[in-house]
Amino acid sequence: ADAIVAAVDAGVQIINVSQAGGDNDALKAAVAYALSKNVIVVASSGNAGNSGPRYPAAYPGVISVGMTTSADSAHASSEQGVGVVVTVAAPGDAILGLLPSDPKLAASQTSKVFLASTQQWNPELGTSFAAPLVTGVVALMLQKAKADGVKLTPAEVTRRLQVTADPPPGAVPDAQLGYGIVNPMRAVFGPFPETAATPTPRPSASAGL
């Protein structure tokens, strides 16, 4: 919560939160503060499957990101359930990244040996890796809008992501993919339909499911 407030006060335009936890008054207030300043908040929806809402992704106004497999289908562990509202999804399976370095080894080895022994590629899994992909797309959207003399609000960015996403095979919003997989080209350059996609009503479920 403190980091979100500090980022807003520093003048950022977008905040990525690759964390998913419980509801918290301070976190909720920090997100509301960011949105009140037209700062866009993107968050990972969570990786616990059908366990219900995770925060800050579940707060109103936050762009909640689910994850897909390499086959562009919903990953089984991508969050869903009562209270989960996913905006869009992005790849989150087998995302290649570098493992952290060991600073103790750095002090005892030459840089060449250190890099060879500690900098290793590792496939990662999670909505924490999907969310930054959407955040990067949002940055490009804001850059393009600025060049066009347009200032997008968080709600307008969310709408554009929804109406330009590659839709899921079934009804929208999908429980895990929201309005579909983010489409960077369309999200940045359009065209943007005048009205957002109309959600298909889903059967209600009890909180115990």
Side-chain angles (χ1 to χ4, degrees):
D2 289 344
I4 291 173
V5 172
V8 174
D9 291 341
V12 305
Q13 294 177 282
I14 319 164
I15 295 174
N16 182 89
V17 186
S18 283
Q19 290 179 311
D23 193 3
N24 176 276
D25 288 341
L27 182 61
K28 185 176 183 179
V31 168
Y33 175 64
L35 295 173
S36 74
K37 300 294 185 180
N38 273 334
V39 176
I40 297 155
V41 181
V42 182
S44 51
S45 65
N47 309 321
N50 192 7
S51 67
R54 307 290 285 167
Y55 300 89
Y59 290 133
V62 175
I63 295 171
S64 174
V65 182
M67 68 170 163
T68 63
T69 66
S70 57
D72 284 343
S73 59
H75 195 282
S77 64
S78 192
E79 208 68 50
Q80 60 180 312
V82 177
V84 177
V85 181
V86 177
T87 308
V88 290
D93 187 15
I95 304 298
L96 202 58
L98 279 172
L99 290 173
S101 302
D102 187 338
K104 293 180 180 179
L105 289 175
S108 62
Q109 301 182 42
T110 64
S111 59
K112 184 176 181 180
V113 173
F114 171 63
L115 290 174
S117 61
T118 65
Q119 293 288 314
Q120 300 178 39
W121 295 107
N122 195 59
E124 302 288 352
L125 167 70
T127 56
S128 286
F129 300 96
L133 296 178
V134 174
T135 301
V137 172
V138 171
L140 294 173
M141 292 168 68
L142 295 183
Q143 183 183 44
K144 177 63 166 60
K146 183 178 180 180
D148 293 339
V150 177
K151 188 171 184 179
L152 297 175
T153 66
E156 288 168 335
V157 168
T158 298
R159 174 186 165 278
R160 287 192 177 189
L161 287 172
Q162 291 172 335
V163 300
T164 60
D166 294 330
V172 293
D174 180 82
Q176 293 173 292
L177 303 179
Y179 284 81
I181 302 171
V182 66
N183 186 309
M185 184 66 73
R186 287 206 300 264
V188 174
F189 296 102
F192 309 111
E194 290 299 319
T195 57
T198 302
T200 301
R202 293 198 304 244
S204 58
S206 68
L209 295 180

